[in-house]
Amino acid sequence: MGSVTATVAPSTTPNVILWFRTFRAITASGFRRYSTYRQAAVAGIVTNAVFGFLRCYVLLAVAGGAGAAAGYDHRQLATFVWVGQGLLSVILIGGWTELADRIRTGDITGDLLRPVHPVTAYLATDLGRAGYAALARLVPPVLVGPLFFDVYVPTRWSTVPLAVGTVAAAVVLCFACRYLVNATAYWLTDVRGPLILWTLASSVLAGLYFPLRFLPEAVYLPLWIATPFPSLLQTPLDVLVERDPLPVQAALVAVQLAWAVLLLAACRLVQRRAERRLVVQGG
């Protein structure tokens, strides 16, 4: 009888562990990097507090004597404003041009030579940044708001883990959007136009200036499904103030996760296409 030799495929477990260790190390380095900007953090806290008072008084004036507007009572509106001021820095809708700058100067070639995919590396760094912002920029507005306004405290036990999950998904989704906008530099070199359009659209349609539910239902529902903008800020805030029953909250988070997965895949696709035609300026 002939002998049978069994071939055992090499285990992928060490590779997965190595990938997670690398991702964790890059995330930690991102946290340390952004934690060095302490003066900028203090200035941002003061700015967020000032605009928090302005926005809160405006929305409470909209609610008027009825004490409610578009289904939000005055406590929910106050929470919407103050937590939104903190989440603005965590999600970071605007102000990130690192990828576009590196493409313009040609430094992106160094990123392409590294063993970690650029999308993965920049995502890990951004998660580290968001972690620091959650401590330095989210906590202060959340503490300041209740000192001057009646705020809404969640009453359902499921809201806390759901809120944490939706904020994390919003951070990933916003990163993917910013990465795609920055990646236009592969083709345009100067991305000031796309950045301005992104900042304007995301600020208005994400619920930064006012809750999107102030708009007619026929307007905000298509925006919620057909665009990723409401999932950036409106969804996390609505989940936190329990604007909807639990099944609706879960559906909104599902839409948010779908957008995050879709746009992360788009980032990798755009990066692959861009690498085929990359030309370093100046030779």
Side-chain angles (χ1 to χ4, degrees):
M1 295 179 62
S3 61
V4 178
T5 303
T7 302
V8 179
S11 175
T12 60
T13 302
N15 292 333
V16 173
I17 295 176
L18 179 61
W19 186 91
F20 276 107
R21 286 178 177 173
T22 303
F23 192 89
R24 183 179 62 185
I26 298 174
T27 301
S29 68
F31 185 98
R32 290 192 300 270
R33 170 187 171 185
Y34 285 92
S35 65
T36 59
Y37 304 115
R38 296 182 180 88
Q39 292 182 340
V42 173
I45 291 170
V46 174
T47 302
N48 283 348
V50 171
F51 279 96
F53 281 105
L54 293 175
R55 291 185 59 219
C56 198
Y57 280 122
V58 168
L59 289 185
L60 291 179
V62 172
Y72 300 95
D73 63 30
H74 67 282
R75 295 181 304 138
Q76 289 174 314
L77 288 174
T79 302
F80 191 99
V81 168
W82 286 102
V83 177
Q85 288 299 111
L87 285 181
L88 182 60
S89 301
V90 176
I91 297 170
L92 193 64
I93 289 178
W96 187 74
T97 61
E98 182 176 349
L99 176 62
D101 293 339
R102 291 181 68 81
I103 294 172
R104 178 177 53 81
T105 60
D107 292 338
I108 190 65
T109 54
D111 297 335
L112 301 180
L113 294 175
R114 297 188 177 104
V116 182
H117 194 280
V119 175
T120 302
Y122 280 104
L123 173 60
T125 302
D126 197 66
L127 290 178
R129 174 207 59 77
Y132 172 72
L135 297 176
R137 301 292 294 274
L138 174 60
V139 173
V142 171
L143 295 179
V144 169
L147 297 178
F148 300 93
F149 302 92
D150 291 331
V151 296
Y152 182 84
V153 178
T155 58
R156 295 196 292 260
W157 67 266
S158 59
T159 296
V160 174
L162 196 61
V164 172
T166 188
V167 169
V171 171
V172 175
L173 174 58
C174 192
F175 161 79
C177 292
R178 285 186 276 110
Y179 193 97
L180 290 173
V181 173
N182 275 249
T184 59
Y186 282 116
W187 289 269
L188 301 178
T189 305
D190 188 346
V191 297
R192 284 177 292 182
L195 284 173
I196 291 174
L197 291 175
W198 153 252
T199 302
L200 177 61
S202 58
S203 299
V204 175
L205 302 180
L208 173 61
Y209 296 148
F210 56 87
L212 292 181
R213 294 177 192 261
F214 281 13
L215 299 173
E217 186 174 321
V219 175
Y220 75 74
L221 279 182
L223 284 176
W224 223 312
I225 302 300
T227 74
F229 298 113
S231 295
L232 298 175
L233 195 61
Q234 183 76 39
T235 294
L237 293 176
D238 275 356
V239 168
L240 183 63
V241 301
E242 298 178 339
R243 173 60 175 74
D244 303 293
L246 182 58
V248 177
Q249 286 184 324
L252 293 177
V253 175
V255 171
Q256 184 187 38
L257 291 174
W259 274 112
V261 172
L262 178 64
L263 292 187
L264 275 181
C267 287
R268 297 185 72 93
L269 175 62
V270 168
Q271 182 64 37
R272 185 167 65 248
R273 293 288 299 273
E275 290 173 6
R276 297 177 182 175
R277 54 95 53 212
L278 176 63
V279 176
V280 177
Q281 301 298 318

